[in-house]
Amino acid sequence: MKTFKFIYFLLAVSFLMVSCGKDEILDSVEPESAKPEESISTRAGLKAIGSGVMMQAFYWDVPAGGTWWNVVKGKVSSWSNAGVDAIWLPPVSKAQNGTFSMGYDPFDYYDFGQYNQMGSTETRFGSKTELESLISRAHNNGLSVIADIVINHNSGGDLEWNEFAGKNTYTKFNPMSNKFNRTKYDFHPNESYNSDSGIFGGFPDLSHKKAYVQDWLWKRSNSVAKYYKNTMGFDGWRFDYVKGFEPWVVREWKNAVGGFSVGEYWDGNVNTLDWWTSEAQVSAFDFACYYKMRDAFVGNNLNALSGDMLWKRNASRAVTFVANHDTDEIYTNKLLAYAYILTHEGYPALFYRDYEDWLDKNKLNNLIWIHNNLAGGNTSNLWTDNDEYIARRNGGGGKNGLIVYINNSNSWKERWIQTNWSSRRIKDYTGNSSWEPITQGGKWVKIQAPPKGYTVWSLK
C-alpha cells in the first residue's frame, strides 16, 4: 500500500494524505515444489505462473489522463517474449479521487471507468473498454493478469450519523454500479464488532466478519472476486495491506475463486511471514529477503545474504522482489540484487521502472532467460563473505541448475567451487566471462566474476 500522495476531500475540507557459511544447504525442497503452489493456470492458453517471472506493470504516480492501460497493452507482447508469465496491475476500480487516484482509496469496486462519479468517468489509468482490451491482449500473449485488491478500507462515502462511533462518519456508499452499497453497519465499529487487525489512514475500515461484506466480497455469484475473475477476466490476486485483517479473509477469497494469490504483509520478520502464509495458505512478498538484500548491496556486506528469508523457509510461497511502487531502497548495486533473485528459489517480480527505464534491459532479459531455463532445484550455499557470494542451484524439473557468483568488490575475483558435474565443460551464461573450463573428476572447477558484477555458470 502506498502512502497516499493525492488530495483527499472530505466535504469542503481538503488535506494532503502523504498518504551463509560454506557448503550450507538452504532449506532443501523437492525441485517440483519450488514453483508457486498455484502454478497451474485456470485459464486455457496461459503460461503457468511460476514458469517465468511477474511484471509489476505500474509505478507510483504513473501519468494521469487515462492512457496507462494502453501503455501496458503495448508492452505485453515483448514482456511475454522476454519470459514474463504474469502482469500485476494497480487497483482497477473507481476511487474517491477519480483520475487523480492510484486506486488505493476504493469507492465503487464495479466501476472500471464507465460511470461518471467521483469527478470523472475514466479512472487514472483509462476506461473499462481499454482495461478489457488490455486483459484480452495479455491473455492472447499467454500472460495471467493479477488484480490489486484493496479490501481493508474504503473512501468517498457520504456522511451519516453513526451511533456506534458516536459521531458522523463517511460510511454511506451508494455507488452508481448499484453493487455493494455500504453503510455504517459494514464498517468498524458496528453493532457486533468493534475492530479487526488494523485501520489505514483514517479511512472507513471494512468489517469482514459481517455476512453482508463477505457475500459481496467473495461469496455471491456477482461478488467482487467472482465478477473480477469471471466477467473481467482476472487470473490472480495481490492483496493490499493484509496486516489490516485476519489471514482467513484471504484464505476464504482464494478458496471461493482460486487463482494465484500473494499478500502484501510488510514485515521483515521471516517468522511472521511464514506464519501468515501458512494461515492464509497463499504466497507473500518476501520482505525478509528484500531487507537482507538492502543490507547486502547497499550496506556493502554480502554476509547479510546468509540471513533467513521466506524463500529459504518455503520457496513455493515466496514472491521475491528488488523494488516496488512503495519501496525502492536498493539504489546501488541493484542489478546484483536482480541477479540474486533471478537465480534463486521463489517467484521473482520485476519492477516496471527498473525494467523499462532505469536498468539495462538486455541484462535483465538475460537473467530472466537464466531463471526460466537453468535455475532448477534447491540451493546450496558455496561461499559467502563481505564481498563475494556463490550459490549452486542443484538442478531439477528439466533444468541443469547453475552456479551464481556475485562479486561486490572493485576487482576481479576467482574461486574453486564444487559443481554437480564431473568432467563437463561449463560456461558463463551472462557473457561477463569468456572462460569455458572443464570440471574435474571430483566436480571441482575454478570460476570468476567481474568487479561489481556477477557470472552464472552451467553446462555448455
Side-chain angles (χ1 to χ4, degrees):
M1 165 53 92
K2 187 69 178 182
T3 301
F4 287 96
K5 295 180 179 176
F6 50 76
I7 304 300
Y8 178 47
F9 294 96
L10 294 178
L11 293 179
V13 182
S14 63
F15 58 92
L16 182 65
M17 294 296 295
V18 177
S19 120
C20 292
K22 299 180 186 178
D23 303 321
E24 175 189 6
I25 301 296
L26 301 179
D27 269 50
S28 297
V29 295
E30 292 301 318
E32 295 78 17
S33 67
K35 293 182 180 180
E37 292 184 350
E38 306 86 3
S39 62
I40 304 302
S41 174
T42 58
R43 202 176 302 275
L46 303 187
K47 302 176 184 180
I49 290 183
S51 63
V53 302
M54 179 196 304
M55 176 67 73
Q56 180 179 352
F58 68 99
Y59 54 93
W60 195 255
D61 284 345
V62 300
T67 62
W68 192 249
W69 296 147
N70 287 334
V71 169
V72 175
K73 178 181 174 181
K75 295 182 181 296
V76 292
S77 177
S78 62
W79 290 348
S80 179
N81 291 336
V84 170
D85 62 27
I87 59 172
W88 157 26
L89 300 184
V92 297
S93 65
K94 185 69 61 65
Q96 181 185 0
N97 284 291
T99 56
F100 296 101
S101 177
M102 284 295 294
Y104 290 94
D105 54 335
F107 171 73
D108 186 345
Y109 285 100
Y110 297 84
D111 181 358
F112 307 100
Q114 73 270 35
Y115 296 111
N116 186 359
Q117 57 183 340
M118 294 294 124
S120 69
T121 298
E122 291 190 346
T123 68
R124 182 187 190 99
F125 314 111
S127 68
K128 178 182 179 182
T129 299
E130 290 166 339
L131 173 61
E132 290 171 328
S133 180
L134 162 58
I135 294 172
S136 177
R137 176 72 63 85
H139 287 165
N140 289 339
N141 282 273
L143 301 182
S144 296
V145 184
I146 297 173
D148 203 321
I149 299 298
V150 185
I151 56 173
N152 176 72
H153 52 273
N154 291 166
S155 184
D158 294 326
L159 201 64
E160 64 178 344
W161 170 250
N162 188 333
E163 61 270 30
F164 311 115
K167 61 181 180 179
N168 290 322
T169 55
Y170 295 92
T171 48
K172 189 174 183 178
F173 288 75
N174 293 300
M176 289 187 69
S177 68
N178 200 31
K179 295 181 177 69
F180 197 14
N181 295 347
R182 285 145 280 165
T183 68
K184 57 191 174 184
Y185 297 99
D186 306 313
F187 298 95
H188 295 120
N190 55 55
E191 80 285 5
S192 300
Y193 307 103
N194 185 58
S195 64
D196 61 4
S197 293
I199 61 174
F200 182 84
F203 293 109
D205 184 56
L206 276 171
S207 183
H208 298 92
K209 290 183 179 179
K210 298 297 289 285
Y212 178 83
V213 173
Q214 293 181 19
D215 285 345
W216 273 108
L217 285 181
W218 67 81
K219 288 185 175 180
R220 294 169 58 110
S221 61
N222 63 342
S223 65
V224 174
K226 292 174 183 175
Y227 193 93
Y228 276 46
K229 180 181 180 182
N230 300 328
T231 301
M232 296 303 295
F234 283 98
D235 309 288
W237 324 100
R238 179 266 185 187
F239 290 92
D240 179 70
Y241 190 61
V242 297
K243 282 187 175 182
F245 45 90
E246 289 80 8
W248 63 262
V249 174
V250 173
R251 184 175 67 245
E252 290 207 12
W253 177 299
K254 164 71 183 307
N255 290 341
V257 294
F260 173 78
S261 303
V262 56
E264 182 215 28
Y265 200 103
W266 195 330
D267 197 310
N269 186 320
V270 69
N271 294 315
T272 303
L273 295 173
D274 196 24
W275 162 82
W276 188 86
T277 58
S278 178
E279 291 293 316
Q281 296 178 11
V282 302
S283 298
F285 288 101
D286 195 346
F287 278 93
C289 176
Y290 171 79
Y291 286 118
K292 295 296 189 298
M293 290 194 299
R294 182 196 63 181
D295 295 344
F297 297 115
V298 180
N300 291 310
N301 185 359
L302 300 193
N303 286 306
L305 298 178
S306 296
D308 205 358
M309 307 174 191
L310 182 59
W311 74 258
K312 298 181 183 182
R313 298 282 188 96
N314 190 343
S316 67
R317 285 183 172 162
V319 176
T320 54
F321 67 100
V322 175
N324 62 31
H325 64 296
D326 279 331
T327 184
D328 192 8
E329 298 176 86
I330 304 176
Y331 53 86
T332 59
N333 302 314
K334 184 178 276 191
L335 197 58
L336 302 189
Y338 273 109
Y340 181 83
I341 68 168
L342 287 164
T343 55
H344 283 66
E345 293 166 80
Y347 180 33
L350 302 175
F351 182 45
Y352 179 96
R353 300 220 73 176
D354 287 340
Y355 186 81
E356 291 291 340
D357 300 327
W358 293 337
L359 299 180
D360 188 322
K361 186 181 293 188
N362 291 326
K363 292 181 179 179
L364 285 174
N365 283 341
N366 169 250
L367 286 169
I368 295 169
W369 185 93
I370 287 170
H371 171 270
N372 294 357
N373 292 277
L374 300 177
N378 58 8
T379 304
S380 300
N381 177 248
L382 303 181
W383 184 275
T384 305
D385 64 23
N386 189 77
D387 294 326
E388 298 170 72
Y389 173 86
I390 307 175
R392 183 178 69 223
R393 292 295 298 276
N394 291 305
K399 299 179 182 181
N400 287 328
L402 56 80
I403 310 287
V404 57
Y405 190 167
I406 297 175
N407 175 15
N408 197 34
S409 76
N410 294 316
S411 60
W412 280 86
K413 295 290 185 180
E414 301 175 359
R415 288 213 177 268
W416 283 93
I417 52 92
Q418 189 172 29
T419 73
N420 288 325
W421 312 300
S422 178
S423 303
R424 300 290 299 275
R425 187 177 297 278
I426 64 172
K427 61 173 285 189
D428 166 37
Y429 277 82
T430 71
N432 291 327
S433 172
S434 60
W435 285 9
E436 292 190 2
I438 297 176
T439 63
Q440 297 180 348
K443 303 180 181 180
W444 287 83
V445 71
K446 180 188 281 189
I447 58 175
Q448 63 174 183
K452 298 295 181 180
Y454 56 90
T455 49
V456 180
W457 306 81
S458 190
L459 293 175
K460 183 176 178 181

